Amino acid sequence: MIQAETVCANLLRHGCSAAGTLPLTLMSSPEPKHLPSTIVREDEGALVSLAKSGDLGAFDELVNRYERRIFRLAMNITQNREDAEDATQDAFLKSFQHLAEFQGESRFYTWLVRIAVNEALMRLRRRRRNVTSLDEPVQTEEDLMPREIEDWGPTPEQRYQVTELHSILNNAIAELDPIFRTVFVLRDMEQLSTEEAADALGISVPAVKSRLLRARLKLRERLSRYFGQRQQA
Amino acid sequence: MNCQVLIREISAYLDGELGVETLAEIEVHLERCKDCRLIVDTTRKTIEIYSSSQPLPLPNDVRERLHQALVKRLGRRPAT
């Protein structure tokens, strides 16, 4: 049996960004889009079985695989580093403590995301209490109609430094209403299916589709202000 | 098919979820509407830019706090 100290030593052995700097949750990469089938490796089922039997080494491997994605997810939902740290930590702790309840009907990663989303949303609601509602805002057809209609060129992101692009992407997503932002993060960044996102958020499939459409269009609108060809001058 | 209907269907179009009939109507509309072509193209690009963004390593202090919490709370077998 591997002890908890071994797990934690392994947790610390990986490269880290400079301490004290804000976490960069978005960074464009030339790597190809990862599909769900490539997120989950073939040995995940075996690792989960070992972790359920108390093998902390197996759980450590699962943490290593997903900690960065879970932290990015929490940062994007909460838009607050402290909340994201707490949500990440509690998501892993709860996932381990409740492993016996995981029946393998979904991917372990999807199950972990569901826990992390709950942790992140709970903190978002707590912080935003008395500020704004997380309920569905009033929507009209006019909301959907694009205002910025410009060509971006073939590779607009290459016009910017990595840090500048990161800032643009982060600012654009931070401005989204949380109910749209959360769906976009789950579907287009974490690559969950519509059904998985609906399950994680406890909303219907049509609601996921409706929110995703609005999130995509709103983000497109905001990015157009930066990537539109008239910005090139 | 008009621009307003196309905008409502743009997500389903990009996700490949449309039926043959609606798909054909959209393709016909896109052939003749430059604005909608630009909107489809830039929406697709929006998704691509975000979906290719990579998560970075946890900051050192976050990793250490996670480490300490795991030592404190996971030093036992989970319920089976």
Side-chain angles (χ1 to χ4, degrees):
Chain A
M1 179 70 64
I2 298 174
Q3 299 301 309
E5 286 75 10
T6 307
V7 176
C8 298
N10 289 339
L11 278 170
L12 290 167
R13 73 173 180 248
H14 303 282
C16 301
S17 62
T21 59
L22 280 174
L24 302 178
T25 55
L26 293 168
M27 180 169 285
S28 183
S29 162
E31 290 182 22
K33 179 177 178 179
H34 292 278
L35 298 173
S37 60
T38 62
I39 292 172
V40 179
R41 299 181 199 166
E42 289 178 1
D43 61 348
E44 186 179 273
L47 282 174
V48 172
S49 294
L50 285 169
K52 286 178 84 168
S53 70
D55 186 333
L56 289 173
F59 185 70
D60 175 36
E61 177 59 28
L62 293 169
V63 172
N64 289 338
R65 288 183 185 186
Y66 299 130
E67 61 184 1
R68 296 162 68 198
R69 301 184 71 92
I70 294 298
F71 184 61
R72 178 180 68 171
L73 168 79
M75 265 302 293
N76 278 317
I77 291 176
T78 63
Q79 294 293 310
N80 178 280
R81 175 178 166 158
E82 185 183 343
D83 286 349
E85 291 176 8
D86 290 346
T88 301
Q89 178 176 296
D90 285 352
F92 281 113
L93 290 170
K94 287 186 177 178
S95 70
F96 189 76
Q97 289 165 338
H98 293 276
L99 258 182
E101 297 165 22
F102 176 64
Q103 300 299 319
E105 292 167 353
S106 63
R107 294 180 288 152
F108 172 77
Y109 176 66
T110 309
W111 184 72
L112 177 62
V113 162
R114 195 184 309 151
I115 295 171
V117 165
N118 285 335
E119 292 296 322
L121 285 178
M122 184 174 67
R123 285 166 176 80
L124 179 67
R125 289 192 181 96
R126 196 181 295 155
R127 193 172 288 277
R128 294 171 65 103
R129 191 182 298 154
N130 302 325
V131 176
T132 184
S133 169
L134 293 182
D135 294 336
E136 189 87 39
V138 175
Q139 298 171 349
T140 66
E141 283 294 304
E142 286 71 33
D143 289 342
L144 288 175
M145 290 311 290
R147 295 178 182 84
E148 306 278 347
I149 305 173
E150 291 180 80
D151 192 356
W152 291 2
T155 53
E157 67 273 30
Q158 289 180 4
R159 299 205 301 267
Y160 296 86
Q161 298 287 333
V162 169
T163 51
E164 191 179 7
L165 177 66
H166 164 237
S167 176
I168 290 168
L169 296 178
N170 255 359
N171 288 342
I173 205 165
E175 288 174 9
L176 279 184
D177 190 296
I179 74 161
F180 301 133
R181 186 169 72 229
T182 304
V183 169
F184 181 82
V185 168
L186 292 182
R187 281 284 285 110
D188 286 340
M189 297 182 72
E190 298 308 321
Q191 311 291 334
L192 266 61
S193 69
T194 302
E195 290 75 17
E196 287 171 335
D199 187 35
L201 295 171
I203 61 177
S204 67
V205 165
V208 168
K209 290 183 176 181
S210 168
R211 294 181 190 190
L212 182 62
L213 171 65
R214 288 172 189 276
R216 286 170 168 178
L217 290 174
K218 285 172 187 285
L219 280 175
R220 189 212 70 86
E221 196 86 3
R222 289 184 177 128
L223 293 187
S224 287
R225 295 174 199 159
Y226 296 98
F227 297 157
Q229 290 291 284
R230 70 182 169 191
Q231 299 286 333
Q232 260 187 319
Chain B
M1 179 66 60
N2 58 38
C3 298
Q4 200 165 4
V5 175
L6 186 139
I7 297 302
R8 278 205 305 267
E9 298 290 349
I10 200 167
S11 244
Y13 173 68
L14 292 173
D15 290 339
E17 296 175 346
L18 289 177
V20 176
E21 196 172 321
T22 310
L23 182 61
E25 289 177 18
I26 282 184
E27 298 287 3
V28 168
H29 181 82
L30 288 175
E31 281 284 315
R32 59 178 172 78
C33 181
K34 184 184 176 189
D35 281 357
C36 282
R37 280 202 305 275
L38 282 174
I39 292 164
V40 167
D41 180 58
T42 48
T43 305
R44 180 187 286 120
K45 194 69 192 165
T46 298
I47 297 166
E48 287 173 358
I49 288 173
Y50 278 101
S51 68
S52 64
S53 69
Q54 295 292 302
L56 293 185
L58 266 66
N60 246 343
D61 53 338
V62 180
R63 183 182 289 274
E64 282 190 28
R65 275 201 290 279
L66 178 58
H67 150 80
Q68 288 163 4
L70 286 168
V71 167
K72 189 175 175 182
R73 293 170 62 181
L74 301 186
R76 61 180 176 79
R77 296 166 66 97
T80 54

